[in-house]
Amino acid sequence: MRTLADLSIDRSSRFTLQDQLARQIRDLIQSGALAPCEPLPSTRDLAAELEVSRNTAIYAYDRLVSEGYLESTSRGFALP
């Protein structure tokens, strides 16, 4: 989960916060920086760390689930 500590949000960007978050996590997955089956922080923890609303984290994770990059588990979200 240390890898996600490198995520950053640019509030002046033309991209929405959820777009930025989803894109950065997708890039980490595609580059291999996140290992398969690695659990991700909860939406609450991620939102608090980045100082965004929890809905922003939920929407980003949900988008990545719909794209097949993440799967929802009983304990949160993880890479398939």
Side-chain angles (χ1 to χ4, degrees), residues 18 22 43 53-65:
Q18 62 210 33
T43 55
S53 81
R54 182 171 175 231
N55 283 337
T56 298
I58 290 170
Y59 292 142
Y61 278 1
D62 284 347
R63 176 179 295 168
L64 293 169
V65 167

Side-chain angles (χ1 to χ4, degrees), residues 11 14 33 40 42 47 53 63-64 74 76:
R11 295 183 189 281
R14 66 182 180 96
L40 297 178
S42 71
S53 81
R63 176 179 295 168
L64 293 169
S74 61

Side-chain angles (χ1 to χ4, degrees), residues 2 20 28 46 51 56 58 66-67 75 80:
R2 279 181 274 138
Q20 293 178 54
L28 290 171
L46 184 62
E51 298 179 351
T56 298
I58 290 170
S66 72
E67 294 174 358
R75 296 181 159 239

Side-chain angles (χ1 to χ4, degrees), residues 1 3 8 14 16 22 30-31 33 35-36 39 43 45 48-50 54-55 58 62 64 68 72 77 80:
M1 285 195 285
T3 307
S8 64
R14 66 182 180 96
T16 65
Q30 290 175 337
S31 71
T43 55
D45 289 345
E49 179 70 28
L50 296 174
R54 182 171 175 231
N55 283 337
I58 290 170
D62 284 347
L64 293 169
S72 182
F77 294 90

